Amino acid sequence: MSETSAGEEGAWKIALALSVVLTLSVALCEPAPREAVGRFLGVVGLSALLLGWGVRGGWTWLNGGPRWRAVTVIAGGALALRLAAWMAPVSLSDDVWRYVWDGAIVAAGENPYAETPRERVRRVQGEFDGVSDEVDRAERAELERLNSPDYHTVYPPGAQAVFASATIAAGWLGGVSERWLRLVFVLADLLAVLLIARALLAMRRAVGWAALYAWHPLVVWEVGGGGHTEALAVGLMVVLVLMLGRSRPWMVGAVIGLSALAKLTFLIVSPLVGVALWRRGRFRDALIAACVAVGVVVAGYMPFWFEDLIANQRESVALYAGVFSFDAPLYYAARYLLGYREGVSDPVTHILSPALQLATMATLVAATLWQDGSRRRLASSMVVGWAGYLVFNPVLHPWYALGLLAAAALAGSWSVSLAGLALMLSYLFYDPAVGRPEEIAVMVVQSVWAAAVVGWQMGPRAITWALRRRAKTKFDAVRPYLRPGDRVLDLGAGEGFVGALVAEAGHEVVLAEVDDRNRTALPMVTYDGEFLPLDDDQFDVAIIAYTLHHARHPDQVLAEAARVARRLVILETVYERSWDRRLVTFLDHSANRLRGMAPEPLYFDRVEGWLERLQARSLKVLTWRWLGRGVHRHVIIVADRQGAQR
């Protein structure tokens, strides 16, 4: 190993070690994180920079050596970071106290779904009228630190079993239930890290992507510091990716059911997995998996069944769906646009909630239909599904993103991991000094940051996808005018995607463009925009797709095209009125900016103008027709300088 590479290796290991120390400093310093949010976020931000540098600097080392070495380092760093956060007192979220409450009830052999915490305290005090003041004060203090003490618990039976195990461990081994419970979450999440690494290897992706989840500050603090049930379900979600195509469908269904018993929101991935199974084999496999999943969930709830179970659960879920809202920029913006003003106008939840639920369902349907039966596509669609759920949810706590961040690691979506960091800014909302204007500013920052980093990674991919889709549309329009054996010139070829489709149809194709943006294996000829360095009659057909309005001298381009090819197939944007021309100019400039092209003068014409130009060059127009007369008016024109004869 060279001195430089050894230095780089040492630097990123130091960055990881410093991040552990920073995380530990929060645990050892007073006050607790929620009482010093600014300091806590500063530590998180510095830790994120160090860890990002560590992942980037150690990328070659992590992925270039033995797999066991990389997995050991990633998992070791994950454990160290989580244990450092575990040592901090609970303050970021109060959910863990409800877990402890439920766990004590289950460990005592009672039903946690039967009563609200306040109802239980009143009942117990009524049964034990002689209870001491000290015990009464302790019960009331425990009650007051719970969230929503007047609502029934919504945590499913699998999570309840884990809660109870922490209570039992505290009774047998000493300590407090909260610490044992968070330790269980840490260990469960460490297993998820190992499973992510295994899934990446199965998908033949770099194992280093596992560090996006393993070392992510949000994951570290929400699992080790806050303690959340998502940690129980993340690993099961990853198992579903590993099982795809290699396990019996009933086993897949069982894992789906178990993930739902750990955290109900993880049912989001169930339709994705079902359709992936269907695409790989038979519809029967998906149906078996679905039936088994439902059976596992029902079996999990059966020990807790009583007459009002469903009613109590529905009431509590309605609280989250219709009452609570937190750090949800889209929700607040939509509510404002609908005319809602807090304390002034009537609520608009009855309109907004169904609309957001419909948008969530539409996103999940799109992600589901995107399946092709592969693990890679399943992982990517999980990112889409989770993102849709979070974006349209009126409540967006940071820990809700654990499933998204795990899916992002599987899919190699580093931008989603970066976007997730901004969710931790929502802890500023607990600071008494932060009012509504500051909250809005934070949500704007979160939204802009997420859009910027995701666009940074996904923008080029989305543009390429759109260009290929548009190329298919162009080819479908041109194909009827191509004859078997035609030699084709794609003039103004851009990236070459249209020419590639023509070549796939069995034609010999050459691309021509003023600058080389070719992204295909086809030969490319560059020219000055006026004179083509090609022989007379070298081609049978010249395709000129939405190019002429970019040419400084479109008549010269037509003349050159007619010289080197016998037949011209022209796709062109046209206008009919002056405002129409201004609109298509704006749209064209906007689209080309996304492709990295600077704005330039455009030379649009009417249909009649192009027909006259062709006839002036002794080209006979064989046919022309509208391809669209909406906002974007465009036509196809076929002309031959030798009439209808070849």
Side-chain angles (χ1 to χ4, degrees), residues 406-470:
L410 292 172
S413 298
W414 53 264
S415 60
V416 174
S417 295
L418 283 177
L421 287 171
L423 290 176
M424 300 199 76
L425 292 175
S426 63
Y427 283 113
L428 287 168
F429 301 163
Y430 295 111
D431 190 325
V434 175
R436 195 60 177 168
E438 291 82 7
E439 288 184 11
I440 294 173
V442 168
M443 286 188 282
V444 169
V445 169
Q446 290 174 323
S447 301
V448 171
W449 169 254
V453 295
V454 173
W456 183 13
Q457 181 182 20
M458 302 305 297
R461 297 183 187 179
I463 292 169
T464 298
W465 177 85
L467 290 173
R468 289 187 181 278
R469 293 282 295 180
R470 181 157 168 74

Side-chain angles (χ1 to χ4, degrees), residues 206-222:
V207 72
W209 289 118
L212 291 183
Y213 181 84
W215 300 348
H216 199 291
L218 184 150
V219 179
V220 168
W221 279 105
E222 299 306 340

Side-chain angles (χ1 to χ4, degrees), residues 338 347-356:
L338 287 173
V348 292
T349 307
H350 64 289
I351 300 173
L352 189 53
S353 291
L356 293 177

